[in-house]
């Protein structure tokens, strides 16, 4: 794999050469090492100090034993079955602060500054104020399920709403007005991406501006350009959403003079600009809104933009008397304001002083209809029609755990409805799925035994209803996809077990089948009722072979999942493996596509998917001979043409190709 | 630096660790500098990483594995130290001069200082990848292995990190 930025500027080598430890520091370390050595010898009377050093010498065993005990207590004190209402209710005690002073105490503690904090003054809020630690020998795995456990009613997704089970209502994306759209997790809930289309025009982000391209086959041409810099010189555009006649442009800009924070040169705000595109050749800026933090993700649902940003507070910036130094700011055309204490949730033991800032914005009025800030961050965000879930990292358990906050959405308002916690980490947004009132979660946890994969079913209160744990110990979760009553989990060490898990009884999820094949799938896509498409890395029984592959799985009988077809995919680099937006899906024509980087240049590959015949290469478009594209590549089909955009980070291009022949009929710079 | 191949179980722990320190001290220190606020923090991280190595004596298959362990441990410890580093520091009340160790790490030229400042404004997910790529000269495949990411994810972070650096710096250093 060649890299385009070699040779690197000598400045970096010069800087690297200066970053050396001082002699005094190295000598101090050596002295410490010698002192440690003596301590070890003292603790092992009778052991010859010069002998071979056993890994399990006494101090190490102590530490391992202490860690295991902490783990048992942690898990025992965590999420617990409580469907019968009689057993103690436990969970993380997320709290709503009474005032900014309470927020200050929590943030200062998370940032590691200030005096030893007194207990945070709070008022009971949210769903779960009590926290009772059970006796240390309790292990939540061993708790028997009470006989009178109620089973959740399976809610039938109504035809009008997007499938609450997270599976695409038809194969996603749906083809309205004969064009394809962004490949999203939940049908009809749009996710922001660098390319958006309404079938007639394509809107593409290029970092400093947004290009409007008229999609007209051979007459495809650039129509206009939205210069975001006119409104904000430092704005770097990241994502787009499209709602009827409004183009939503999302970007980041340094906080700069908008705050009084002394360290403001290091902090970033997320900005949303709303442009009127009634006349697409002349987009006009209607309003701008802003919130503290780096952009994380955004969704569009029923005329509201739900935006999440990640706001870090630095210890040395905190001024107890000035909430603007430790509370996020949100601004719209009504003005700039601090998030109110009643809209803040403090999660216990956050890994950093980091907030997830979630806002709801009405696209038509340009005003915020709701905002929430959660101290505990949101590394993963998943949205269904009713709720926005945010998964953050907590250090309350050794091995790490994920805190979950459920924000209920109603008419654009947001309110914290529940919090919960599960051991382990989430892979990505696909590891969360709402089905009826339940939330299904897949995590990879690390403990003294190694890594394990677990699936949890949580109630609306984010309490544990059922679980499957310890799937494939020693392996990592590589991909997850939920489809109604079945969840598919791919784990990997050397071979790829694809687990099909029966979720129809939330209290007793069961592994129905485990298919082991070499390599692994990084992305799973339900393709009609009986099939799953997987995109991943190829392998043999000896390990990964380094190439990519498409797999077709027959899941019509989840108790006997088989791989029916597999096709090697050429190339060295396939961004679609990590970014589901990079996957092009055209349900009308049974096509799937994505870009790959090969030694001879950048290709766009389009395959036809047929459950009987497998994958057939329809097109292999060489977009950049001998070129390298480190930025995202996207394709859209509108009418009988395939439009591909690439090169946005340098000199962007949109190409128009005949869908049947793959011939390029137009190309325009953007 | 000596290209020592360190044998984990044959020699005593101290000889083992000293060899590892000599071999990797600069690499660890560099990561500590770019992932913390100041020299004082970097010094603390430097000590903690090698003490952790010494205490845990991780069984490393080979030098590459050892290097990966050191890199990820340094990043993790640096993140923790930099958010808690002010816990025990005395903040001067009356404008006394602050201890030099509490100042950001200074470089030879203003441009280098600007690069360092810009880098310290990035989220760790971008900062670590940019550091390994630009200051350690690691190829994308190695960065991916060390951090447990796919090469695709590394490239996305490099690309996005470069874009953020460009915004902060408006210099040509990070152009593609």
């Amino acid at each position: 794999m060649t890299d385009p930025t070699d040779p690197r500027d000598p400045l970096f080598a010069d800087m690297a050469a200066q970053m050396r430890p001082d002699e005094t520091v190295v000598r101090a370390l050596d002295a410490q090492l010698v002192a440690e050595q003596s301590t070890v010898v003292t603790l092992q009377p009778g052991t010859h100090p010069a002998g071979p050093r056993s890994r399990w010498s006494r101090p190490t065993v102590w530490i391992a034993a202490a860690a295991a005990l902490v783990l048992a207590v942690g898990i025992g004190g965590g999420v617990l079955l409580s469907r019968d209402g009689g057993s103690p209710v436990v969970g993380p005690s997320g709290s709503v602060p009474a005032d900014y002073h309470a927020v200050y105490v929590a943030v200062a503690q998370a940032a590691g500054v200030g005096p030893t904090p007194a207990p945070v003054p709070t008022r009971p809020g949210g769903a779960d104020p009590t926290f009772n630690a059970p006796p240390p020998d309790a292990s939540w795995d061993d708790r028997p399920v009470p006989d009178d456990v109620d089973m959740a009613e399976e809610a039938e997704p109504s035809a009008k709403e997007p499938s609450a089970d997270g599976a695409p209502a038809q194969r996603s994306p749906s083809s309205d007005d004969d064009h394809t759209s962004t490949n999203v997790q939940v049908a009809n809930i749009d996710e922001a991406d660098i390319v958006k289309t309404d079938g007639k025009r394509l809107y593409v982000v290029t970092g400093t501006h947004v290009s409007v391209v008229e999609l007209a086959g051979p007459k495809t041409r650039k129509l206009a350009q939205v210069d975001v810099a006119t409104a904000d010189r430092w704005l770097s555009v990241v994502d787009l959403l499209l709602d009827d006649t409004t183009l939503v442009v999302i970007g980041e800009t340094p906080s700069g003079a908008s705050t009084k924070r002394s360290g403001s040169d290091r902090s970033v705000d997320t900005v949303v600009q709303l442009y009127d595109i009634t006349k697409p050749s002349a987009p006009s800026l209607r309003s701008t809104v802003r919130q503290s933090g780096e952009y994380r993700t955004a969704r569009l649902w029923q005329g509201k933009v739900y935006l999440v940003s990640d706001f870090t507070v630095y210890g040395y910036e905190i001024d107890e008397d000035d909430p603007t130094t430790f509370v996020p700011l949100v601004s719209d055309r009504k003005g700039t304001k601090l998030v109110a204490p009643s809209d803040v949730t403090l999660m216990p033991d956050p890994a950093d002083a980091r907030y997830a800032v979630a806002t709801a914005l009405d696209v038509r009025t340009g005003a915020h209809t709701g905002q929430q800030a959660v101290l505990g961050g949101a590394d993963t965000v998943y949205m269904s029609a009713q709720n926005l879930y945010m998964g953050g990292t907590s250090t309350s358990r050794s091995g790490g755990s994920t805190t979950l906050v459920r924000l209920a959405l109603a008419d654009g308002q947001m309110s914290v409805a529940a919090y919960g916690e599960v051991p382990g980490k989430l892979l990505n947004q696909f590891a969360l799925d709402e089905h009826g009132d339940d939330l299904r979660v897949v995590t990879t946890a690390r403990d003294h035994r190694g890594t394990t994969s677990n699936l949890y079913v949580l109630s609306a209160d984010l309490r544990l209803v059922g679980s499957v744990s310890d799937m494939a110990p020693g392996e990592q979760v590589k991909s997850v996809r939920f489809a109604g009553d079945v969840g598919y989990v791919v784990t990997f060490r050397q071979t790829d077990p694809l687990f099909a898990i029966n979720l129809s009884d939330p209290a007793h999820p069961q592994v129905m089948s485990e298919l082991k094949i070499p390599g692994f799938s990084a992305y799973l896509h339900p393709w009609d009722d009986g099939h799953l498409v997987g995109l991943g890395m190829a392998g043999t029984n000896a390990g990964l072979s380094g190439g990519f592959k498409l797999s077709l799985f027959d899941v019509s009988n989840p108790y006997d999942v088989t791989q029916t077809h597999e096709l090697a995919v050429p190339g060295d680099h396939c961004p679609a493996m990590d970014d589901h937006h990079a996957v092009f899906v055209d349900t009308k024509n049974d096509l799937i596509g994505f870009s790959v980087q090969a030694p001879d240049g950048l290709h766009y590959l389009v395959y036809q998917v047929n459950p009987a015949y497998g994958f057939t290469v329809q097109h292999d478009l060489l977009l950049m001979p001998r070129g390298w594209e480190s930025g995202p590549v996207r394709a859209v089909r509108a009418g009988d043409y395939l439009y591909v955009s690439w090169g946005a980070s340098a000199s962007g291009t949109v190409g128009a190709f005949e869908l049947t022949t793959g011939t390029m009929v137009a190309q325009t710079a953007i | 630096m000596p290209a020592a191949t360190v044998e984990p179980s044959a020699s005593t722990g101290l000889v083992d660790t000293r060899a590892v320190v000599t071999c990797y001290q600069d690499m660890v220190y560099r990561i500590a500098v770019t992932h913390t606020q100041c020299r004082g923090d970097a010094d603390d991280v430097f000590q903690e990483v090698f003490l952790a190595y010494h205490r845990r004596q991780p069984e490393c298959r080979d030098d590459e594995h050892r290097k990966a362990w050191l890199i990820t441990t340094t990043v993790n410890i640096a993140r923790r130290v930099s958010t808690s580093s002010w816990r025990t520091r005395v903040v001067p009340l009356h404008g006394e001069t602050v201890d030099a160790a509490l100042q950001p790490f200074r470089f030879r030229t203003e441009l280098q200082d600007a690069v360092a400042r810009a880098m310290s404004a990035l989220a760790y997910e971008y900062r670590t990848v940019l550091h390994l790529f630009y200051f350690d000269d690691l190829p994308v495949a190695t960065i991916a292995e060390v951090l447990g990411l796919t090469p695709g994810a590394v490239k996305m972070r490099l690309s996005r990190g470069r874009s953020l650096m460009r915004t902060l710096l408006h210099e040509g250093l990070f152009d593609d």
Side-chain angles (χ1 to χ4, degrees):
Chain A
M1 263 187 296
T2 55
D3 183 277
T5 61
D6 269 328
R8 293 157 222 186
D9 194 294
L11 175 142
F12 299 112
D14 188 2
M15 285 176 77
Q18 293 171 57
M19 291 189 275
R20 288 224 165 96
D22 199 68
E23 259 312 301
T24 51
V25 172
V26 180
R27 269 184 264 127
L29 168 66
D30 199 71
Q32 272 262 67
L33 291 174
V34 171
E36 291 269 315
Q37 191 73 357
S38 321
T39 312
V40 165
V41 169
T42 311
L43 287 171
Q44 295 183 75
T47 310
H48 196 301
R53 195 177 156 76
S54 147
R55 219 154 75 85
W56 293 101
S57 59
R58 187 89 57 81
T60 324
V61 171
W62 271 2
I63 292 164
L69 181 65
V70 165
L71 183 71
V73 171
I75 287 175
V79 189
L80 183 69
L81 293 175
S82 64
R83 293 291 269 189
D84 60 5
S87 38
V89 162
V90 296
S93 48
S95 54
V96 179
D99 53 30
Y100 284 126
H101 180 73
V103 178
Y104 161 73
V105 172
V107 174
Q109 183 181 14
V113 295
T116 320
V120 178
T122 64
R123 49 185 171 73
D128 184 17
T130 57
F131 185 79
N132 302 311
D137 59 342
S139 158
W140 65 275
D141 275 354
D142 298 339
R143 293 259 160 179
V145 177
D147 284 334
D148 52 336
V149 166
D150 296 328
M151 320 249 234
E153 303 266 278
E154 291 297 278
E156 283 301 301
S158 75
K160 281 188 266 206
E161 289 177 349
S163 312
D165 61 7
Q170 307 129 319
R171 273 172 280 150
S172 84
S174 58
S175 304
D176 285 350
D177 301 332
D178 203 29
H179 68 90
T180 58
S181 49
T182 306
N183 180 31
V184 297
Q185 181 178 3
V186 180
N188 300 328
I189 297 187
D190 199 15
E191 296 170 15
D193 192 22
I194 57 152
V195 161
K196 287 291 171 192
T197 186
D198 57 5
K200 302 196 217 44
R201 275 151 299 265
L202 193 75
Y203 298 87
V204 190
V205 167
T206 62
T208 54
H209 59 268
V210 179
S211 295
V212 185
V213 176
E214 176 91 12
L215 300 179
K219 300 212 185 74
T220 298
R221 67 198 167 93
K222 180 169 170 177
L223 198 60
Q225 178 166 304
V226 176
D227 271 309
V228 299
T230 354
D232 180 339
R233 215 171 132 216
W234 307 106
L235 185 66
S236 170
V237 189
V238 186
D239 259 349
L240 299 174
L241 285 163
L242 197 56
D243 181 51
D244 204 26
T245 56
T246 306
L247 176 69
V248 180
V249 176
I250 304 170
E252 286 174 339
T253 192
S255 307
S258 73
T259 72
K260 284 179 264 162
R261 284 188 274 265
S262 57
S264 58
D265 62 343
R266 59 167 63 225
S267 53
V268 153
D269 287 347
T270 300
V271 174
V272 177
Q273 292 179 332
L274 300 176
Y275 287 85
D276 189 313
I277 45 165
T278 324
K279 201 157 161 260
S281 55
S284 68
L285 179 63
R286 251 187 23 230
S287 50
T288 304
V289 303
R290 191 173 180 128
Q291 65 194 65
S292 304
E294 294 171 357
Y295 169 63
R296 171 73 58 210
T297 191
R299 302 279 184 277
L300 177 68
W301 169 236
Q302 294 188 332
K304 309 263 188 314
V305 173
Y306 296 91
L307 182 78
V308 179
S309 62
D310 191 292
F311 174 57
T312 303
V313 176
Y314 294 94
Y316 62 89
E317 293 177 323
I318 301 176
D319 174 355
E320 187 172 351
D321 300 314
D322 181 2
T324 64
T325 61
F326 56 87
V327 177
L329 292 161
V330 172
S331 72
D332 62 13
R333 60 173 174 66
K334 294 185 280 185
T336 299
K337 51 186 203 283
L338 288 164
V339 174
S342 53
D343 287 334
V344 173
T345 300
L346 307 172
M347 295 302 281
D349 300 319
D352 339 77
R354 207 155 55 102
Y355 289 93
V357 184
T359 53
L361 173 71
D362 186 313
V363 169
R364 265 159 286 286
T365 64
H368 284 123
T369 53
Q371 58 269 320
Q372 290 286 328
V374 177
L375 183 69
D379 297 314
T380 312
V381 174
Y382 159 66
M383 182 164 148
S384 68
Q386 345 278 2
N387 298 291
L388 183 69
Y389 295 88
M390 307 206 286
T393 327
S394 162
T395 54
S396 62
R397 258 172 245 248
S398 68
S401 64
T402 298
T403 53
L404 293 164
V405 177
R406 172 165 78 84
L407 299 183
L409 309 172
D411 292 323
Q413 314 247 338
M414 311 172 101
S415 55
V416 177
Y419 4 75
E421 188 171 350
V422 290
K425 295 172 96 110
L426 300 170
L427 176 69
N428 54 33
Q429 64 189 74
F430 290 95
L432 295 166
D433 180 66
E434 183 186 273
H435 185 64
D437 285 333
D438 294 336
L439 181 72
R440 287 95 68 101
V441 186
V442 173
T443 65
T444 299
R446 236 175 245 286
D447 60 26
H448 54 284
R449 296 169 295 163
T451 55
T452 61
S453 310
N454 310 290
L455 178 142
Y456 304 104
V457 182
L458 308 178
S459 65
D461 299 336
L462 296 182
R463 312 258 180 79
L464 189 70
V465 172
S467 69
V468 174
S469 40
D470 279 0
M471 286 184 288
E475 307 200 0
Q476 286 222 303
V477 174
K478 285 304 202 183
S479 56
V480 181
R481 199 71 193 249
F482 289 95
D485 280 341
V486 186
Y488 298 97
V489 180
V490 170
T491 63
F492 176 74
R493 193 169 41 192
Q494 296 281 40
T495 63
D496 157 27
L498 167 62
F499 292 90
I501 303 167
N502 183 356
L503 298 163
S504 55
D505 175 357
H508 302 102
Q510 286 167 331
V511 173
M512 292 149 122
S513 61
E514 187 184 324
L515 170 70
K516 281 199 205 292
I517 37 182
F520 65 85
S521 291
Y523 174 67
L524 291 173
H525 193 95
W527 196 273
D528 77 33
D529 277 334
H531 294 89
L532 208 58
V533 169
L535 173 64
M537 299 196 75
T540 62
N541 289 321
L544 291 178
S545 58
F548 303 106
K549 62 163 180 170
L550 278 168
S551 305
L552 189 62
F553 301 101
D554 183 334
V555 298
S556 50
N557 177 4
Y559 287 100
D560 181 21
V561 170
T562 55
Q563 181 179 266
T564 55
H565 298 89
E566 185 180 293
L567 183 66
V569 170
D572 298 321
H573 170 213
C574 179
M577 293 257 297
D578 305 300
D579 181 0
H580 62 285
H581 291 163
V583 180
F584 161 77
V585 178
D586 183 356
T587 55
K588 180 179 169 196
N589 297 297
D590 289 325
L591 300 173
I592 193 167
F594 44 85
S595 66
V596 294
Q597 187 70 51
D600 69 341
L602 177 73
H603 294 248
Y604 202 86
L605 302 169
V606 180
Y607 297 84
Q608 177 148 81
V609 183
N610 182 315
Y613 302 119
F615 303 101
T616 335
V617 182
Q618 286 294 108
H619 302 303
D620 179 348
L621 309 169
L622 182 59
L623 303 178
M624 284 172 76
R626 289 182 308 282
W628 177 282
E629 176 47 55
S630 57
V633 179
R634 295 285 186 270
V636 150
R637 180 198 55 81
D640 298 321
Y641 294 94
L642 185 70
Y643 300 92
V644 186
S645 88
W646 72 92
S649 50
S651 52
T653 311
V654 169
F657 302 83
E658 257 176 29
L659 188 65
T660 43
T661 63
T663 326
M664 181 184 271
V665 299
Q667 183 171 315
T668 178
I670 53 169
Chain B
M1 62 188 83
T5 314
V6 184
E7 301 287 24
S9 51
S11 43
T12 63
L14 181 59
V15 172
D16 188 302
T17 307
R18 273 173 165 163
V20 169
V21 170
T22 314
C23 200
Y24 293 108
Q25 65 184 43
D26 289 346
M27 179 192 86
V28 166
Y29 198 74
R30 280 196 298 270
I31 297 174
V33 169
T34 62
H35 287 65
T36 61
Q37 334 276 37
C38 55
R39 205 185 242 291
D41 284 351
D43 292 346
D44 287 346
V45 171
F46 176 79
Q47 303 253 6
E48 269 206 53
V49 168
F50 288 112
L51 281 173
Y53 180 88
H54 183 63
R55 287 168 187 157
R56 289 186 221 163
Q57 292 292 317
E59 277 185 3
C60 296
R61 283 190 309 268
D62 53 30
D63 281 345
E64 287 312 307
H65 189 210
R66 183 171 298 109
K67 192 168 164 175
W69 187 95
L70 287 168
I71 289 173
T72 41
T73 304
T74 309
V75 172
N76 292 336
I77 291 180
R79 291 182 62 160
R80 187 183 23 86
V81 165
S82 76
T83 53
S84 69
S85 71
W86 293 87
R87 194 198 298 275
T88 52
R89 289 213 203 286
V90 174
V91 179
L93 293 174
H94 305 295
E96 297 130 2
T97 48
V98 180
D99 184 355
L102 303 182
Q103 302 283 45
F105 194 99
R106 302 306 298 269
F107 289 88
R108 212 170 40 81
T109 70
E110 259 186 51
L111 175 59
Q112 292 175 1
D113 272 341
V115 170
R117 247 195 349 262
M119 229 174 126
S120 68
L122 299 183
Y124 290 107
E125 62 196 78
Y126 304 119
R127 199 188 315 189
T128 307
V129 167
L130 287 178
H131 176 105
L132 295 174
F133 185 79
Y134 285 101
F135 295 119
D136 281 332
D137 265 348
L138 296 185
V140 170
T142 309
I143 297 177
E145 255 190 68
V146 167
L147 299 180
L149 301 169
T150 61
V154 171
K155 287 194 190 109
M156 294 272 279
R157 290 182 188 196
L158 262 182
S159 166
R160 181 93 186 271
R162 279 198 275 252
S163 164
L164 290 170
M165 289 294 280
R166 270 200 295 281
T167 305
L168 293 170
L169 282 179
H170 283 257
E171 288 286 344
L173 289 168
F174 290 91
D175 287 336
D176 286 326

